[in-house]
Structure formats: C-alpha cells, structure tokens
Amino acid sequence: MVALVEGHGEGHDALPPGRALELGCGAGTNAIYLARHGWEVVAVDLVGRAIELARERTEAAGVDVRLLHGDATRLDELDAPGPFELFFDLSCYCGIPPHRRDAYVAGLTRRAAPGAWLLMFGYGPGAFDDTFSGVTADELRARFGGWELVDMTPGTNPVPTFWFTLRAPTG
C-alpha cells in the first residue's frame, strides 16, 4: 500500500488521494494511514469491538474516517455508496465462506471507480484448520471478472500468504 499511496519503488508514481474503502479494518491502523495521506476513508468491520477500537484510535490520531459496523459481503446495506478509487483488504476476503465471496466481489465492483485499485492480503489455502479459508490467484481471476490481477507477491509469514493487486476496468 505504501508503494501505491506514496509512489515508492521504480516506475511508481504516487496514486492521487481520492476515496478509499477498507474492508475488515480491525483497529483502524490502515484507515488512519490513508487518512493521513489525504484519502477520504470509509472503513468496515463485522466485529463491533474492532470498530470501537478504530473509533478510539482515529479520534486520538485526529483523522476523519467514516467507520461502519457491518458485513463486507453486504455493502448495499451500509452507507458506503462509492465510487472508490482504492479498496484495501487485509485478510478479510480470505476468511469469507466461498458461498458469500461473489456478494463481496459484486459489492466492490458496483462501487469501483474506473481503474480502481484493490490491494488484498490473503492467506493461502491450508493456512488454517478449516475447509474454506484461503485465496488463490486463480480464484481471484475467476471471481473478479473484468478486473486485472496486476501483481501477486508472496508474504513472509510462516504459512502461505500473498499480496494481490487487482485493477478494475477503466471504462
């Protein structure tokens, strides 16, 4: 996210601040980072305590972030109409049961500005002792029809993890 937001790295210009939607915001660390870099941020989490912590932390940081307690697979029920130029997902999608993942994708796609970016960190299949957690590049290509998988970088965790960068259609 730093490379995209601040333009670090060879051939990377900083993405101009716009509107960002963070999915599974937890305690608000990344929402605060984006707000400090000029982004208008909406952050969603299913866990009420996470939203409370994020509210405390954003207030302490002196940044304005709209925090929503809700389900990332039911964005139409939340006050997050879009369009958004940036979506950030730190382990939200990979924990959603497969039968709800298409709803997640549809909600993002309806809110995506042309050429919007999705930065997603996800655990690979088999990282947890359940039958549904995890995500692969092939699944993202299949579910995010029309989006381009621009990059996939392995994480440094002891279990399989990946950073995925996707781009919404430009027209």
Side-chain angles (χ1 to χ4, degrees), residues 19-152:
R19 297 188 72 226
L21 176 61
E22 183 177 7
L23 302 127
C25 68
T29 302
N30 297 299
I32 291 168
Y33 169 82
L34 288 168
R36 284 182 171 159
H37 285 84
W39 289 81
E40 180 186 332
V41 183
V42 177
V44 176
D45 205 290
L46 184 61
V47 178
R49 180 65 184 136
I51 291 295
E52 291 172 20
L53 287 171
R55 186 164 286 112
E56 292 169 11
R57 292 188 71 210
T58 56
E59 287 174 6
V63 296
D64 185 30
V65 173
R66 195 161 84 241
L67 297 162
L68 303 174
H69 180 207
D71 185 340
T73 69
R74 296 175 184 233
L75 291 176
D76 291 342
E77 297 172 9
L78 302 175
D79 184 22
F84 295 98
E85 290 81 23
L86 177 64
F87 299 95
F88 185 73
D89 175 334
L90 185 66
S91 303
C92 179
Y93 177 89
C94 67
I96 295 171
H99 73 278
R100 296 293 307 146
R101 290 181 179 184
D102 286 338
Y104 172 103
V105 172
L108 263 64
T109 300
R110 280 192 296 276
R111 287 160 179 78
W117 294 92
L118 167 58
L119 305 179
M120 177 189 292
F121 176 83
Y123 289 88
F128 298 105
D129 293 332
D130 63 33
T131 59
F132 69 86
S133 293
V135 61
T136 65
D138 287 342
E139 177 189 350
L140 293 178
R141 284 186 195 101
R143 288 197 194 267
F144 280 85
W147 291 64
E148 177 187 1
L149 179 60
V150 176
D151 185 61
M152 181 180 113

